[in-house]
Amino acid sequence: GSNVIGSADLFIFSEAVPYLPEIDEWLSSDPPELYSIARHWFTAFRQCADDVSELLHDGCPTACVGGAAFGYVNVFKAHVNIGFFTGALIDDPKSMLEGTGKRMRHVKIRPEDGIDSQALQELIRCAYRDVKDRLSV
């Protein structure tokens, strides 16, 4: 299909490492009600598989597979973004993703709002598989 892209369209970070302690420091910042959300969901990225690596990109914890970024978290004044580097290209059955970029999409979480955790967990798994598949093309 026309939306099939190859590895040339991925964000590749050669500096991604299996574990970066600075990310845990970042995820422990204040205010805790926002950073605990970021920590929860970055942990979900980390737990996708043993081959997930990470780095701080543009100041945000970013999860990679094979050096290719598939997700990130970022904390704002009143919400947290759970971001997906190929978000425009993955299935989003619950229409959770926001954004208008060519590929990037994010889920916005406010502490006072409920979140469909199962659907978000599935998006994370989809994003991981999508980028891993693109690397093998």
Side-chain angles (χ1 to χ4, degrees):
S2 58
N3 67 346
V4 174
I5 63 168
S7 57
D9 292 280
L10 297 173
F11 292 87
I12 307 286
F13 297 104
S14 56
E15 65 272 32
V17 295
Y19 171 71
L20 188 66
E22 289 88 336
I23 288 180
D24 288 339
E25 291 171 35
W26 190 99
L27 292 168
S28 300
S29 305
D30 289 324
E33 62 272 13
L34 291 172
Y35 281 89
S36 65
I37 294 169
R39 187 165 59 245
H40 175 84
W41 290 109
F42 197 74
T43 299
F45 282 123
R46 281 172 160 167
Q47 290 174 342
C48 280
D50 291 341
D51 58 357
V52 172
S53 56
E54 60 193 49
L55 75 154
L56 284 166
H57 170 61
D58 287 344
C60 301
T62 301
C64 302
V65 56
F70 70 95
Y72 69 89
V73 297
N74 199 2
V75 174
F76 296 87
K77 203 159 99 177
H79 72 274
V80 177
N81 278 359
I82 313 301
F84 300 92
F85 284 83
T86 59
L89 310 166
I90 61 174
D91 285 333
D92 179 20
K94 299 277 175 84
S95 302
M96 297 175 74
L97 293 170
E98 299 180 34
T100 55
K102 192 174 170 192
R103 291 178 212 85
M104 303 280 286
R105 293 287 184 275
H106 61 271
V107 174
K108 192 177 285 189
I109 303 177
R110 290 179 185 82
E112 64 274 14
D113 296 343
I115 180 81
D116 187 335
S117 293
Q118 199 173 343
L120 183 48
Q121 186 71 50
E122 188 53 37
L123 280 178
I124 290 172
R125 281 194 292 265
C126 276
Y128 166 80
R129 281 194 304 267
D130 178 70
V131 168
K132 195 170 167 93
D133 289 349
R134 289 176 199 287
L135 284 171
S136 65
V137 168

